[in-house]
Amino acid sequence: MKNTAIPLISVCCLLLAACTGSFSKVRTAIDQAPDWYDARRVEIRGEGYPEFIDVPVIAEGATPGQTLQASKSRGAELRAIFADSARAVPPANIAAEIEDLQETVRREFAGFEASSDFLTDEEIAAIRSAFDVPRVTRGLRAASR
């Protein structure tokens, strides 16, 4: 019992001495805190905020909706300016441009040239007809059955 009591008492004394030193360090740090620290501490504690039950009193001449007509007319004026602007006009062939871009990207990923103008449908049909040899195609069809 003696062997464990002495180390426990000494550890407790060391912890007590360390805590008193750290408390004084914390107190000096709080005293030397910047100006915003007190405001932040009040905010964290939740002090200084109005209660939900408190109903604000509206001052005379500051009724809600008083400026709605002015903001409505200003909004109409801004919409008219925007509609008259050249930048507000949508592009004419936006769907065709998107389809062209889609086809270009698809062809690039497939490993073909980006432009699809290098062979027309007629040229493709002519090439296929040149390789359409009846005895070869008949032999391939019979072998696949």
Side-chain angles (χ1 to χ4, degrees), residues 56-60 62-64:
V57 178
I58 298 173
E60 185 80 23
T63 56

Side-chain angles (χ1 to χ4, degrees), residues 55-125:
V55 178
V57 178
I58 298 173
E60 185 80 23
T63 56
Q66 191 174 15
T67 60
L68 287 179
Q69 290 300 325
S71 64
K72 183 179 177 183
S73 63
R74 178 69 178 146
E77 179 183 327
L78 290 175
R79 277 190 295 278
I81 291 170
F82 178 75
D84 293 340
S85 173
R87 295 180 70 190
V89 178
N93 295 328
I94 191 73
E97 290 176 10
I98 290 174
E99 288 176 4
D100 289 343
L101 178 64
Q102 174 191 358
E103 182 64 22
T104 303
V105 170
R106 186 188 65 78
R107 294 187 66 75
E108 286 176 358
F109 275 114
F112 299 118
E113 288 185 31
S115 173
S116 63
D117 297 336
F118 67 98
L119 281 178
T120 63
D121 292 336
E122 294 82 24
E123 291 171 337
I124 292 173

Side-chain angles (χ1 to χ4, degrees), residues 1-8:
M1 183 79 180
K2 285 185 196 178
N3 294 340
T4 58
I6 293 173
L8 284 176

